[in-house]
Amino acid sequence: MKSFKYIAVALVLSGAMTGCDDFLSVESPDELTSDSFWRDKSDAESGLASAYSKLEASTDTWEFPEVFFPVEAYREDIIKPGTDAYNYPNWIELYNFNYTNGNSQFTAYWRDNYYGINYSNQVIENLPDIPSDKITDEDRATIQNEAYFLRGYYHMKLLLNWEQIVIRDKYITSTDELDKPLASREETWDFIIDNFTKATSLPATRTSEALGRATKGAAYAFLGWAHLTRAYEESGQKDAHLNAAVNALNNVTGYELVKDLRTLFDGTNKNSKESIFEIQLTLNTSNGARYRTQIHRFVGCAELKGWDEILPTDHLMEAYKKEGKIATTGRYDSRLYETIFFKDEYFNDPDAGRVYGQTYDDWFEGADKPAFRKYMPADIDGLNASYFAPNIVLMRYVNVLLMKAEALNELGRTPEAIQVINEVRARADMPTMKGTSQQEVREQIEHECMLEFPLENKRFYDLRRWGKVKEALVSVGRTNFDPAKHNFYPIPIQEINSNNAID
């Protein structure tokens, strides 16, 4: 029997930490057996907290961004590693597409998503056994559907990055259950869609005490994304999945675009009206809670007290400036200013102090080095602090709008798609789009997605869906990408070594 490495065999909920002020801070019982746990609603929520705790791996300190960004963002044409990133060969091999199946970063990504799945399965299987006098039917149903949502989410993250994965639909209690073959993509999509569909029974809104927990809107948004992605993979069912995507996305209601885009990422506007699902972070460390990060050091360039690990490409800057200074503000597309610090009169206004109380040239000493503003603190105190606690945005309303526009356009409902695109452009102070043909709208959607989602790590999945990854990377001088080898990561060697059903 190969050694077991990735799926917890015992009832391990040690990832659930304690704290008095947020849902993800719950006490880990000393012994989590069926006799001492799963007794009441409190235990059920503790178990569910463990499932939530694996969202995008560990968020504490440096660990989170060093997995999240190299694995997802370094494959994109709109970012490049900063100077310090080249000190980490296991990151740069992801950027250069010369990795092997022993790469430590995507191995950690694989592992943590399966931990999240295992924790979700514990909730799904044990929740029905809690006595009815210890939990209401409504609470039981809500917690169960949250676990379905999270199980669907973790499987989808894996399927977006690996061509085939192991479906884990059962809590592993013995080593005999570890050996399971890879499932087909069709089978896995069916499983993911089923989980998200069950989760659409979740409440539409949450109380202030439960902010950040999955909602009906989150379930429908991810369901729509699943159908949209699948539509391009199964040509014979393309229209069926596109229609299913539109139907799901039409059910994402009660949200609206927020004018100041940067505030969704700088910690000043958490759980905003645009937010559909985001990881809840806090600087509060009471009772051992560790839901804070050093993402501002990873994202921050050296001039802004960061580690200089990730920077925007010239290609991204050109895309932001492509339409010229036609915004109602008299400047470029407002998303540029919300997303990137760059050499421009807007950031060099000495009276405004828009770069932490100073001008761009003060900080960069006259150099022209665009650097990300997204996921940077709002003020100088935050910039100087060792830790930062913005929420990590996983789905927002603009994602829903642009996915819906894409599905509508592919279905030939192009005028409807144009209306949606113009709603997105209005938030960026841009005039209505030019062009009316399906191809022109397709190109406009690609442009809008490029400008909306830097550092949200959607770009690679978009390009692959459109069949344009190689074209995009070659255009920025990255010629190592081979779609046959690099559209998906290889199964980590540790998983192969621990699962006898995978060769």
Side-chain angles (χ1 to χ4, degrees):
M1 173 66 66
K2 298 177 185 178
S3 61
F4 164 63
K5 296 183 182 291
Y6 288 99
I7 308 298
V9 177
L11 180 57
V12 180
L13 291 180
S14 58
M17 303 180 65
T18 43
C20 55
D21 348 58
D22 81 276
F23 169 70
L24 295 184
S25 303
V26 291
E27 229 169 323
S28 297
D30 293 329
E31 294 190 22
L32 304 177
T33 67
S34 57
D35 292 332
S36 65
F37 205 67
W38 308 109
R39 299 157 301 189
D40 51 28
K41 177 185 174 182
S42 177
D43 285 351
E45 293 206 325
S46 293
L48 187 64
S50 285
Y52 274 100
S53 75
K54 302 315 294 182
L55 289 172
E56 308 304 341
S58 171
T59 52
D60 186 50
T61 63
W62 48 265
E63 188 175 354
F64 159 64
E66 292 189 3
V67 171
F68 183 55
F69 289 115
V71 170
E72 294 188 337
Y74 276 20
R75 296 177 293 179
E76 298 176 348
D77 59 327
I78 59 175
I79 70 93
K80 60 184 178 183
T83 303
D84 186 65
Y86 285 88
N87 292 318
Y88 301 93
N90 52 339
W91 303 0
I92 297 304
E93 66 185 27
L94 297 175
Y95 178 77
N96 288 330
F97 299 102
N98 58 6
Y99 49 75
T100 69
N101 63 356
N103 181 272
S104 60
Q105 306 313 100
F106 67 63
T107 295
Y109 189 102
W110 172 279
R111 176 200 65 206
D112 284 312
N113 277 285
Y114 274 113
Y115 276 147
I117 290 167
N118 199 44
Y119 295 154
S120 300
N121 283 334
Q122 293 178 48
V123 176
I124 291 167
E125 293 184 22
N126 288 289
L127 191 60
D129 296 330
I130 296 177
S132 57
D133 62 335
K134 299 296 184 181
I135 188 171
T136 67
D137 290 344
E138 181 181 4
D139 286 337
R140 192 193 306 269
T142 297
I143 293 171
Q144 189 88 341
N145 287 323
E146 283 180 85
Y148 282 129
F149 172 84
L150 291 169
R151 187 168 71 175
Y153 175 85
Y154 290 125
H155 277 93
M156 185 169 173
K157 292 296 285 187
L158 290 163
L159 196 63
L160 286 171
N161 288 285
W162 280 270
E163 188 169 14
Q164 290 181 275
I165 65 170
V166 180
I167 295 175
R168 293 294 182 182
D169 57 354
K170 185 180 184 299
Y171 168 51
I172 305 299
T173 57
S174 73
T175 55
D176 294 337
E177 298 169 318
L178 291 175
D179 297 334
K180 192 174 182 182
L182 300 171
S184 69
R185 286 190 74 81
E186 293 82 1
E187 182 184 2
T188 310
W189 277 125
D190 284 343
F191 181 73
I192 291 166
I193 286 169
D194 179 64
N195 277 265
F196 285 146
T197 300
K198 289 174 178 174
T200 60
S201 296
L202 282 166
T205 59
R206 293 291 197 167
T207 63
S208 58
E209 293 79 16
L211 284 176
R213 294 174 66 168
T215 61
K216 180 187 294 290
Y220 274 119
F222 280 95
L223 179 61
W225 189 11
H227 277 297
L228 179 63
T229 304
R230 193 173 184 181
Y232 289 78
E233 297 181 7
E234 301 174 17
S235 58
Q237 297 294 317
K238 184 172 183 178
D239 282 2
H241 285 298
L242 290 172
N243 278 306
V246 172
N247 290 337
L249 297 169
N250 280 340
N251 278 288
V252 183
T253 59
Y255 302 91
E256 60 186 63
L257 299 179
V258 170
K259 177 59 181 170
D260 297 323
L261 176 61
R262 70 186 180 281
T263 66
L264 307 184
F265 304 91
D266 67 9
T268 64
N269 195 6
K270 297 183 178 184
N271 304 302
S272 71
K273 293 179 179 180
E274 187 170 338
S275 170
I276 295 174
F277 191 54
E278 56 188 57
I279 303 174
Q280 307 296 297
L281 298 185
T282 176
L283 291 174
N284 189 324
T285 57
S286 299
N287 298 318
R290 296 174 67 87
Y291 292 98
R292 58 187 183 175
T293 181
Q294 289 184 299
I295 193 172
H296 61 317
R297 296 290 181 250
F298 189 95
V299 168
C301 64
E303 289 81 356
L304 295 176
K305 305 188 178 185
W307 299 330
D308 213 55
E309 314 292 12
I310 191 167
L311 296 166
T313 60
D314 292 342
H315 180 53
L316 178 58
M317 295 299 295
E318 290 163 3
Y320 276 120
K321 297 178 179 180
K322 178 181 178 180
E323 297 182 71
K325 294 186 175 183
I326 63 170
T328 57
T329 59
R331 297 188 289 266
Y332 295 113
D333 187 307
S334 291
R335 288 170 291 195
L336 170 57
Y337 303 89
E338 298 286 294
T339 306
I340 295 173
F341 292 118
F342 67 107
K343 193 177 183 66
D344 183 84
E345 60 185 14
Y346 177 81
F347 288 116
N348 273 323
D349 181 342
D351 297 322
R354 291 190 175 104
V355 187
Y356 299 108
Q358 299 183 63
T359 67
Y360 179 90
D361 283 345
D362 288 336
W363 283 98
F364 289 82
E365 298 180 345
D368 186 0
K369 178 184 177 181
F372 282 114
R373 188 181 194 186
K374 185 180 282 187
Y375 279 124
M376 291 294 286
D379 55 36
I380 189 66
D381 289 338
L383 186 69
N384 289 331
S386 296
Y387 300 101
F388 184 33
N391 284 357
I392 306 300
V393 179
L394 303 181
M395 179 66 71
R396 53 192 177 99
Y397 188 52
V398 74
N399 299 68
V400 169
L401 292 177
L402 288 173
M403 287 191 293
K404 183 161 64 174
E406 181 179 342
L408 288 169
N409 189 52
E410 294 302 313
L411 286 167
R413 298 164 62 179
T414 300
E416 295 173 73
I418 291 173
Q419 291 179 359
V420 178
I421 293 168
N422 286 334
E423 182 179 349
V424 173
R425 287 176 63 80
R427 191 262 294 272
D429 302 308
M430 295 295 280
T432 57
M433 66 162 284
K434 298 178 180 178
T436 58
S437 72
Q438 186 183 52
Q439 181 57 30
E440 288 171 325
V441 171
R442 193 176 282 140
E443 292 171 0
Q444 191 69 44
I445 290 168
E446 294 174 11
H447 176 72
E448 302 299 329
C449 287
M450 187 176 181
L451 306 193
E452 277 287 344
F453 302 122
L455 296 187
E456 294 177 65
N457 304 356
K458 302 287 192 298
R459 176 73 173 165
F460 183 83
Y461 308 134
D462 287 345
L463 289 171
R464 187 180 60 206
R465 185 169 70 249
W466 302 327
K468 294 188 173 183
V469 180
K470 185 174 180 64
E471 174 188 338
L473 290 172
V474 169
S475 72
V476 295
R478 295 171 64 184
T479 59
N480 286 349
F481 181 84
D482 178 353
K485 294 180 180 179
H486 305 127
N487 264 341
F488 298 96
Y489 285 125
I491 302 299
I493 186 62
Q494 287 90 340
E495 176 67 22
I496 294 173
N497 289 339
S498 66
N499 184 343
N500 287 298
I502 299 178
D503 296 326

